[in-house]
Amino acid sequence: MRTILILIKKEFLQVFRNPLLISILVVAPLVQFVIFPFCADYEIKMLDIAFIDNDRSSISKDIINTFNSSGYFIPHGVLQSQSEAEEMMRHDKIDILIEIPARFEHDLYTGQPTQISSTANAINTVKAGIGTGYVQEVIGDYMRQFSERNKLPDQFGARNAEIKLSNVYWYNEQMNYKNLIVPGILVILVTLIGCYVTALNLVREKEIGTIEQVNVTPIRRWQFLIGKMIPFWILGMTEFIAGLFIMKIVFGITVQGSIPMLLGVTAIYLLVMLGLGFFISSVAENQLQAMFIVLFLFIVFVLLSGLFTPTEGMPDWAHKINYFNPMSFFMEVIKKVVLKGGDFLSVQKETIVLSVMAVVINTGAILSYRESSK
Amino acid sequence: MYSIVADQLTKQFGTFTAVDHISFQVKRGEIFGFLGANGAGKTTAIKMMSGLLLPTSGTATIAGYDILTQSKLIKKHIGYMSQRFSLYNDLTVFENMQLFGTIYKIPRKELKDRIYESLRSLDMEKQSGTLVSSIPLGWKQKLAFATAILHHPDIVFLDEPTSGVDPIVRREFWKLIYQTASQGVTILVTTHYMDEAEYCNRISIMSDGQMKLIGTPSELKEQMGVNSVDEVFVKFVNR
């Protein structure tokens, strides 16, 4: 016990005397945490929109009103001419131009084909694409209501089905990417501390030879590893809790589920990552090798974890790899507990899987760490 | 009673034989020198005897314990100072000694006394709170030695303890070695400096993993018909 305590003390002394490590542990993550969510925001709001109304009927006015009140556009009014519209778009005053053709109302009621043209400023293709999606959605919505009111089922039914498809993709009032990205970054931070910092720390001792001095002592390998683990576990948990506060204060995201439960699962996840870090350090000869191994695993973990792309859309083999990806399980827990307020039952499976992973990988780490080599 | 008994100790790395069937005995309180060119197998032999490396074949008994089966017990009874300085540079002098002393399970109160006594004898009391990274190399080596004997081991392995150290510190260092040996501690030391070899009770010369010569410095000088260990070594190498 005294041995482990002195090892923990030693580790903390070293961490706090290493300004570079301190900045890696504290400053870098926090900066990342505050900047990254704003950059990784896919949402586009407040598109500038203007109209040309060649019909001037009650329906065309109705449609324009629907756009203006949808909350997704900043209306710039009804323009008089095509040239005025072009001028505005050239100067980036508007992103989308909606043109309603003459005799629109008449054609609609008599069942003749007619079409509203939507022109998007495609300098920013993402903005244009999303904007067009919004336009389709608004018109589709309007048309659906219109056909219900006027009993015009067939012709518009088909079109509505098509528009519904785009609805899933683009138009989601609830969709706030920060809600997903911010907790995701928290996961990345915890992973980095758990895996990266510990792996580098242990390999560094190997490189500079201090581990040899420890290995000639009667210390047991599990004592040594626990003495390494506890300090980094504490650092990781501290970082996670600090992250939760920042999430609340800066982004206004409150944990919907139970916080003690969340911390419990995080503690287990950290053990997995610490074990993985130790395992890597026993395989790697030097810090460079350790860095490459961690980086490789890290990228695979992140890409498969469902942070940037939903796991549902991944092919079958990716799902199979994900069974071995602790980050994807933890990400699932975060999503469920932080965003959806899930209870323990909802994350039971993930917790069990992570626990098994923790046991397996730490046993592996202890076995592969040798004080005397062959 | 022998402190170290090596019996056909052998280490192979792949097809390369680093240590080739060496056998020798070292008495308690003896200062035993390991001489040899770089790559002769000295460090490998020391690592096997201190439990850092398992032998390919053969065995050794260290302080009465077998290196193959009782390495945990051996570790309690030996001190080791590596070729590379391997205390923690980002800990202070005191913290390093406290760390290793605690790992060797020296009781808290006694540990403090031992550390201060040790620092007093090294004349390093003022450096107790200094980071090891900022003290000169010669002092670092003395500190490493003091740390290696803090738990009063039966045997101390010193792997080139004085390389890169100035002559004055080297002399002080040997004074420490003599002091320690006089208390009944067995010293096994490797060195490149032939003048240091003269200070040893007995020396052995290793080459290509084999122990070619073994005896007291005067025996070896007589045997080779020369006046210094330096000449013994040169003559041996050119042979």
Side-chain angles (χ1 to χ4, degrees), chain A residues 11-48:
Chain A
E11 215 59 60
F12 272 120
L13 283 171
Q14 288 183 300
V15 167
F16 288 112
R17 277 182 194 147
N18 184 345
L20 188 69
L21 190 62
I22 283 288
S23 63
I24 289 174
L25 283 176
V26 180
V27 183
L30 293 188
V31 169
Q32 230 180 34
F33 198 33
V34 171
I35 290 174
F36 194 51
F38 291 106
C39 307
D41 190 345
Y42 309 125
E43 192 181 23
I44 290 184
K45 269 188 269 190
M46 296 304 144
L47 291 153
D48 294 291

Side-chain angles (χ1 to χ4, degrees), chain A residues 6-7 9-10 13-14 17 205 210 213-214 217, chain B residues 85-104 106 111 115 119 124 127-135 140 143-144 146-148 150:
Chain A
I6 194 90
L7 287 171
K9 180 183 162 193
K10 164 220 162 219
L13 283 171
Q14 288 183 300
R17 277 182 194 147
E205 290 223 19
T210 49
Q213 196 67 51
V214 173
T217 69
Chain B
F85 178 74
S86 51
L87 294 181
Y88 290 96
N89 270 318
D90 43 7
L91 295 182
T92 67
V93 169
F94 184 84
E95 284 161 357
N96 264 295
M97 297 183 96
Q98 193 191 32
L99 171 68
F100 286 101
T102 309
I103 291 177
Y104 282 108
I106 303 169
L111 177 59
I115 291 174
L119 289 178
M124 282 178 66
Q127 275 70 36
S128 149
T130 312
L131 284 184
V132 167
S133 57
S134 56
I135 62 174
K140 281 186 181 177
L143 176 69
T147 308
L150 201 63

